[in-house]
C-alpha cells in the first residue's frame, strides 16, 4: 500500500535561517512525488515534483527537495526562510502503477511553517 | 488566462438542504477531482472523473454526488445525507489519468462550506 508521512505537523524558523520539512513515503513502485504549498484559505500551488529524473529537484521560490530511495524520503529545504514562506506544505505521492485500477494522489497531513521575524 | 475557478468562495447550508459547489476549468484537462480538507487531516478524495460522462467514487463519497456533462465542469452536490459537511472543498484537474510520470494536479481556490 502507498502512504506518505510528514514527520512534523508544525515547524518554526527565524527569518533568514534554513527550512527543513520532512516527508517519508511508502510505495511498491517508484512513485512520482510532489510538494505543494497552501496559504490560508487558498488552493494548493505546486512547488516542485520528482519524476525519476534528477534526484535533486529545484522548485519555485528557492525551494528544493532531494529524493533518497534508500531512505524513502523526499524532504523539502530552503536555505533562507522569508516571511512570505509562512504557509502549510503538503507532500504528495502518486504511484506510477495503478492500485485497484486507478491512479491516486496520496496526500500527507501537512506541515505548518511559521516564520519568526 | 488558464486555470480553475470555484464558486462560491463561502457557502452556507441549512439543515436538510442540498447545496452545489461549482468547479470550472479552461485547461483542456480530461481528469477532474474533488477533495475535502479538514484541519490536521490533509486532503481526502471525494470523487474523480477521468473523462466526460464518467466518474468514480473516492475514499469518502457518502453524502456527495457529482456530474460530468461537460469537459470543463465538474459540480459537486453536498446532500442532506452528509451529516458533517463543514469543511474546505478543493477542486483539481490534471491532463488525464493515463499514468504519465509526474502528471501534475492543478487546484482551484476552494469553497468553504459552513452549516447554519
Amino acid at each position: 500500500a502507498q502512504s506518505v508521512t510528514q514527520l512534523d505537523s508544525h515547524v518554526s524558523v527565524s527569518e533568514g535561517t534554513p527550512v527543513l520539512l520532512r516527508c517519508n513515503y511508502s510505495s511498491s513502485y517508484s512513485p512520482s512525488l510532489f510538494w505543494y504549498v497552501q496559504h490560508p484559505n487558498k488552493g494548493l500551488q505546486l512547488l516542485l515534483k520528482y519524476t525519476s529524473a534528477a534526484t535533486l529537484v529545484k522548485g519555485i521560490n528557492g525551494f528544493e527537495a532531494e529524493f533518497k530511495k534508500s531512505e524513502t524520503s523526499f524532504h523539502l529545504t530552503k536555505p533562507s526562510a522569508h516571511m512570505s514562506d509562512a504557509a502549510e506544505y503538503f507532500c504528495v505521492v502518486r504511484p506510477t502503477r495503478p492500485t485497484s485500477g486507478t491512479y491516486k494522489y496520496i496526500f500527507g497531513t501537512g506541515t505548518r511553517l511559521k516564520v519568526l521575524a | 488566462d488558464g486555470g480553475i475557478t470555484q464558486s462560491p468562495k463561502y457557502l452556507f447550508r441549512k439543515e436538510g438542504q442540498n447545496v452545489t459547489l461549482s468547479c470550472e476549468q479552461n485547461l483542456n484537462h480530461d481528469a477532474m477531482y474533488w477533495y475535502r480538507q479538514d484541519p490536521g487531516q490533509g486532503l481526502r478524495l471525494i470523487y474523480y472523473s477521468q473523462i466526460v460522462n464518467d466518474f468514480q467514487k473516492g475514499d469518502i463519497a457518502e453524502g456527495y454526488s457529482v456530474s460530468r456533462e461537460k469537459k470543463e465542469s465538474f459540480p459537486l452536490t453536498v446532500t442532506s445525507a452528509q451529516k458533517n459537511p463543514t469543511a474546505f472543498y478543493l477542486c483539481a484537474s490534471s491532463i488525464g489519468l493515463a499514468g504519465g510520470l509526474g502528471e501534475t494536479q492543478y487546484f482551484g481556490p476552494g469553497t468553504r462550506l459552513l452549516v447554519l
Side-chain angles (χ1 to χ4, degrees), chain A residues 26-76:
Chain A
S26 171
S27 179
S28 302
Y29 306 102
S30 293
S32 295
L33 293 156
F34 306 79
W35 275 101
Y36 284 86
V37 60
Q38 184 182 33
H39 289 92
N41 294 308
K42 302 289 186 185
L44 275 67
Q45 180 186 14
L46 179 71
L47 279 177
L48 50 80
K49 65 182 181 183
Y50 166 77
T51 59
S52 80
T55 56
L56 183 62
V57 182
K58 293 188 184 297
I60 62 171
N61 301 336
F63 285 95
E64 62 182 40
E66 186 172 8
F67 173 72
K68 291 187 177 180
K69 187 174 181 179
S70 60
E71 298 177 9
T72 60
S73 69
F74 190 57
H75 300 335
L76 182 70

Side-chain angles (χ1 to χ4, degrees), chain B residues 59-78:
Chain B
D59 300 317
I60 55 164
E62 186 175 349
Y64 299 97
S65 66
V66 293
S67 62
R68 186 85 187 276
E69 297 176 1
K70 298 188 299 182
K71 188 175 185 177
E72 301 80 17
S73 178
F74 191 41
L76 173 74
T77 296
V78 184

Side-chain angles (χ1 to χ4, degrees), chain B residues 40-111:
Chain B
Q41 293 194 44
L43 275 66
R44 292 183 290 168
L45 182 64
I46 305 172
Y47 268 98
Y48 62 98
S49 168
Q50 300 182 48
I51 200 164
V52 174
N53 293 322
D54 179 71
F55 49 83
Q56 307 293 330
K57 290 182 179 180
D59 300 317
I60 55 164
E62 186 175 349
Y64 299 97
S65 66
V66 293
S67 62
R68 186 85 187 276
E69 297 176 1
K70 298 188 299 182
K71 188 175 185 177
E72 301 80 17
S73 178
F74 191 41
L76 173 74
T77 296
V78 184
T79 74
S80 57
Q82 174 49 245
K83 297 306 178 188
N84 184 24
T86 298
F88 192 52
Y89 290 86
L90 287 159
C91 178
S93 71
S94 66
I95 290 175
L97 285 179
L101 283 177
E103 183 178 322
T104 300
Q105 281 190 321
Y106 297 89
F107 285 83
T111 292

